[in-house]
Amino acid sequence: MSTQIVERMVVEIDGTGDPVVLIHGLGGTSNVWTPLMPVFTGRARVIRFDLPGSGRSPLGSSALSIQAFVDRIAKAMRVLGAERARVAGHSLGTIVAAHLAQQHSDLVRDLVLLGALPAPPEPARAGLKARAAKVREDGMAAIIDPLIEAALSRDTREKNPLAVAYVRESVLRQDPAGYAATCEALAAAHSADFARIGKRALLATGEDDAIGTPAMSRDIAARLPQAHAEILPRTGHWTPIERPTEIARAVSQFWFGR
């Protein structure tokens, strides 16, 4: 594995072969994909970003937006020679991935969208703006308990302490200014035009996901060619962490046929 700085983002690169690009969501980092990495061993060159303002990538002076994320990732993919990549996103990363596929069709071979949402519904936009203000005033610890309850299924909270610990640590370690700016970028997001994307896609989310709901995944799948949605029982929004075995199996079958 190598760690590079590309387009002012920290990038982890593993393996050789056809490129796979992985885009995390709000409160995440490149490490949200670690449970899936065995799927790619000997099969792919995996490129994982920490988006600007998340994880180890600095916020910088430029305003964050979905378009800014798309522009940075597209430039980084070209720098890294990652044209015609398989692209996966989680949560906010699914919005970025969809716009990337629409605007830079040459860069994207097909899509995996986990906990997908086209854009936040109006009540969620207000909640994201309020969360940004709360974090700026009181820090990350002020939001973590309600976030854990909302983002993870009851089954995960009660039976999977490692998943709970991972999500808590991932969120608590975020820079408050970067997290708040990412909340605001998500609050301002608009949907890609899925009818113009024209890519094969796998969508997967949890039956208890109140953020990227099962209905959202089914609706997106209906607007893409050769797409289908898988709904995982007793699972919330952090599917790669809550159900890594099931997600790895689905991704392996979709991308590699086994």
Side-chain angles (χ1 to χ4, degrees), residues 4-17:
Q4 300 183 27
I5 307 296
V6 184
E7 289 296 316
R8 301 188 300 283
M9 295 183 292
V10 173
V11 185
E12 302 284 8
I13 303 175
D14 298 80
T16 59

Side-chain angles (χ1 to χ4, degrees), residues 153-192:
S153 70
R154 180 176 179 179
D155 187 78
T156 297
R157 297 195 309 272
E158 292 179 352
K159 300 178 182 178
N160 193 343
L162 288 178
V164 175
Y166 171 84
V167 175
R168 285 184 63 87
E169 192 69 7
S170 182
V171 174
L172 287 170
R173 289 287 182 177
Q174 300 291 336
D175 169 61
Y179 184 87
T182 307
C183 284
E184 291 163 346
L186 180 55
H190 66 274
S191 177

Side-chain angles (χ1 to χ4, degrees), residues 32-187:
V32 76
W33 302 105
T34 300
L36 273 63
M37 291 303 290
V39 169
F40 306 115
T41 301
R43 295 172 167 175
R45 177 182 178 225
V46 181
I47 299 166
R48 297 181 284 167
F49 303 99
D50 278 4
L51 292 173
S54 294
R56 291 165 292 166
S57 294
L59 175 58
S61 58
S62 300
L64 298 188
S65 66
I66 300 300
Q67 188 61 52
F69 294 146
V70 170
D71 292 344
R72 290 271 193 100
I73 289 174
K75 290 177 182 177
M77 289 174 69
R78 296 190 194 281
V79 167
L80 294 167
E83 290 86 359
R84 288 281 294 163
R86 295 177 165 110
V87 176
H90 172 242
S91 189
L92 172 147
T94 67
I95 301 176
V96 177
H99 282 282
L100 181 72
Q102 181 180 333
Q103 297 175 32
H104 302 277
S105 184
D106 60 312
L107 292 178
V108 179
R109 178 173 173 179
D110 49 30
L111 295 165
V112 168
L113 305 176
L114 306 180
L117 61 162
E122 288 306 317
R125 295 181 193 275
L128 285 162
K129 293 175 184 177
R131 194 191 308 176
K134 183 71 171 174
V135 163
R136 284 197 175 97
E137 183 175 351
D138 298 325
M140 299 305 300
I143 65 161
I144 191 62
D145 289 336
L147 187 150
I148 289 291
E149 186 166 353
L152 301 178
S153 70
R154 180 176 179 179
D155 187 78
T156 297
R157 297 195 309 272
E158 292 179 352
K159 300 178 182 178
N160 193 343
L162 288 178
V164 175
Y166 171 84
V167 175
R168 285 184 63 87
E169 192 69 7
S170 182
V171 174
L172 287 170
R173 289 287 182 177
Q174 300 291 336
D175 169 61
Y179 184 87
T182 307
C183 284
E184 291 163 346
L186 180 55

